[in-house]
Amino acid sequence: MTHEGSNRPPAQISGARGGLDGIIAGHTSLSTVGVSGVGLTYLGYAIEDLAEKATFEEVAFLLLFGHLPNDSELSKFRVRLISQRSIPEPLCKTLEMIPAAAHPMDVLRTAVSMLGTLEPEKGFEDAVRVAERLIACMPAVLTYWVRFHRDGTRLSSWSRGDSIAEQFLWDLRDRSPSELETQAMNVSLILYAEHEWNASTFTARVIASTLSDFYSAITGGIGALRGPLHGGANEAAMELIDRMSDSAMAERELLAMLARKEKVMGFGHRVYKGCDPRSDVIKPWAQKLCRATGNETLFAISETIEHVMRREKGMFPNVDFYSASLYRSLEIPTALFTPIFVLSRLTGWSAHILEQRADNRLIRPLAEYTGPAPRAWVSLEERD
Ligand code: ACO
């Protein structure tokens, strides 16, 4: 439909099937996703190398500052993060008031919003401080809320664990994690850190593009990540695997689901067409941990689901699928799977907010109008 006198350019639907499918909406120097022959890289570094050789803190620094830290930069960064783990008292009180039955994603969303009132961003030059503060304290926020509602503990010492991976596992389970457990957690945090213009990052960038504050952009990102088509898929995948008692049942149930045209969470991807490189990295870690913790059946069921999806639909697991068995082997409650994604993706979102602000233009696309033609006003008395 066109309006006489409209100065809008002719409308075009972006992407054949909507959803901005295949549309380049902007540029980034932070990561490559699905670029043929390149794979997934963060600022040029292959995800496989980062997962094998880096710590999550090095990757966080890389994303925030654009280069890998040298020894001195890394130790200063680590010290800054450790010194900013503690939660202000009013936020502790807020966490205690949030119901135990709340979804932990809602807890994180609320906590970021609350922190924004307690420690607001003081101009854009304050952005990196806010980013570091969020990366440093959100693991503590999550474990504080969990432990308070689980066993009445008010966590107050934040010195346990030299890394975010170690601290999170330690505070959550109240025991020092093994080297293998810390390494697996570290790899998982690295894999979830950044992924170009995905739905939650896009949300954060749209908010940043209005020149809104850092906390608002992060809060929006958390909201977008929560859904099962995005970050929530790791929880949904676990719930699916949990319904299966063995591989034979998994085969039967999967075939029935596919016959009913149901989606299997943890499979498929908007951008990747042949495989998700993050899944190839996380799967061997999931296998190692499942073996070490007596969860072989869980892993066998997961592999059966993968085989059926490949055979019947030609579909591959995305990063969320094997993250589920990995987290289960770490004895992490299912409801915390997507919140862990947040603890990691805070780095990527932060880097994108900084990148958006550095070369900002309001993100405001068009929509093709499909509603009724212009019509006369009908008064309340005259309506049917
Ligand atoms: N299980 C079964 N069928 C699927 C799946 C799946 N997981 N994913 C896509 N399909 C099918 C669809 O039913 C559809 O079939 P049709 O053409 O016969 O109707 C076709 O493949 C295309 O699916 P769309 O949903 O249109 O593809 P889109 O590119 O929009 O979807 C998405 C990408 C949302 C990731 C999709 O694959 C999906 O829903 N997967 C499950 C959720 C999931 O794992 N999300 C995590 C993504 S990774 C991340 O966010 C970290």
Side-chain angles (χ1 to χ4, degrees):
M1 190 181 97
T2 54
H3 284 278
E4 246 178 77
S6 161
N7 54 7
R8 278 174 66 141
Q12 274 185 333
I13 279 283
S14 303
R17 301 185 59 211
L20 299 177
D21 189 350
I23 296 301
I24 294 177
H27 48 254
T28 183
S29 61
L30 296 169
S31 61
T32 52
V33 172
V35 177
S36 161
V38 177
L40 172 59
T41 63
Y42 297 171
L43 286 125
Y45 295 102
I47 190 71
E48 293 80 5
D49 283 342
L50 293 171
E52 188 190 331
K53 296 167 187 157
T55 59
F56 175 61
E57 282 74 3
E58 279 174 284
V59 169
F61 187 100
L62 171 69
L63 290 168
L64 288 183
F65 300 104
H67 64 274
L68 282 174
N70 62 27
D71 199 36
S72 148
E73 286 171 323
L74 183 59
S75 26
K76 284 183 193 149
F77 185 58
R78 282 183 185 285
V79 169
R80 284 206 301 281
L81 291 183
I82 290 173
S83 70
Q84 293 181 84
R85 282 178 183 172
S86 64
I87 318 171
E89 189 54 31
L91 180 51
C92 290
K93 291 221 168 72
T94 305
L95 292 170
E96 290 173 19
M97 284 191 307
I98 297 177
H103 193 286
M105 284 297 277
D106 298 344
V107 176
L108 292 189
R109 194 192 60 222
T110 305
V112 170
S113 211
M114 178 72 180
L115 195 65
T117 68
L118 300 170
E119 302 174 7
E121 186 184 18
K122 298 184 190 84
F124 285 2
E125 59 282 0
D126 195 29
V128 174
R129 179 198 64 80
V130 174
E132 289 187 357
R133 174 72 168 129
L134 285 168
I135 294 163
C137 80
M138 291 312 280
V141 163
L142 187 57
T143 49
Y144 186 97
W145 178 78
V146 171
R147 294 289 306 280
F148 177 79
H149 289 289
R150 193 177 68 199
D151 48 42
T153 304
R154 285 188 165 92
L155 287 173
S156 58
S157 161
W158 306 107
S159 56
R160 304 197 296 184
D162 291 336
S163 64
I164 288 175
E166 189 183 11
Q167 178 215 0
F168 174 74
L169 289 174
W170 201 330
D171 283 342
L172 179 70
R173 309 177 316 175
D174 202 20
R175 65 172 193 274
S176 162
S178 70
E179 187 65 29
L180 176 67
E181 290 175 325
T182 303
Q183 278 177 356
M185 192 68 203
N186 184 63
V187 168
S188 163
L189 291 173
I190 289 173
L191 295 177
Y192 271 136
E194 161 55 16
H195 215 230
E196 200 223 49
W197 282 48
N198 58 83
S200 57
T201 301
F202 186 59
T203 305
R205 285 193 78 129
V206 169
I207 294 172
S209 85
T210 70
L211 302 183
S212 183
D213 72 298
F214 210 94
Y215 293 96
S216 297
I218 297 288
T219 307
I222 294 174
L225 189 71
R226 193 188 194 293
L229 294 188
H230 191 9
N234 54 16
E235 293 178 23
M238 192 70 251
E239 281 152 19
L240 171 74
I241 297 166
D242 271 339
R243 296 209 307 265
M244 315 297 169
S245 50
D246 55 30
S247 291
M249 180 181 181
E251 167 97 25
R252 264 195 326 274
E253 291 293 317
L254 254 284
L255 290 175
M257 281 178 77
L258 295 179
R260 292 193 298 268
K261 299 213 171 306
E262 284 176 30
K263 272 194 170 172
V264 180
M265 297 303 166
F267 285 85
H269 198 270
R270 171 60 68 80
V271 183
Y272 295 125
K273 294 305 167 207
C275 75
D276 179 341
R278 301 168 298 178
S279 174
D280 294 344
V281 176
I282 204 72
K283 183 177 172 182
W285 281 98
Q287 184 167 27
K288 218 185 292 186
L289 269 183
C290 283
R291 272 201 197 122
T293 54
N295 278 305
E296 287 90 349
T297 307
L298 180 71
F299 191 79
I301 290 170
S302 306
E303 276 204 310
T304 301
I305 295 174
E306 179 186 352
H307 294 321
V308 174
M309 288 300 280
R310 284 192 194 277
R311 190 185 68 216
E312 300 295 322
K313 296 279 288 183
M315 295 196 73
F316 55 89
N318 58 48
V319 62
D320 287 325
F321 188 67
Y322 281 102
S323 296
S325 44
L326 181 123
Y327 292 155
R328 171 59 57 81
S329 300
L330 290 171
E331 295 171 49
I332 296 172
T334 305
L336 299 187
F337 290 7
T338 318
I340 293 173
F341 197 152
V342 172
L343 303 185
S344 163
R345 188 56 64 85
L346 279 170
T347 58
W349 289 333
S350 298
H352 277 275
I353 295 166
L354 297 174
E355 188 179 59
Q356 181 66 36
R357 285 177 173 181
D359 182 22
N360 188 57
R361 187 150 190 249
L362 179 73
I363 299 174
R364 201 298 186 193
L366 296 174
E368 185 185 37
Y369 180 65
T370 56
R375 45 188 168 164
W377 167 252
V378 183
S379 68
L380 194 54
E381 304 75 51
E382 287 172 312
R383 283 177 225 162
D384 295 337

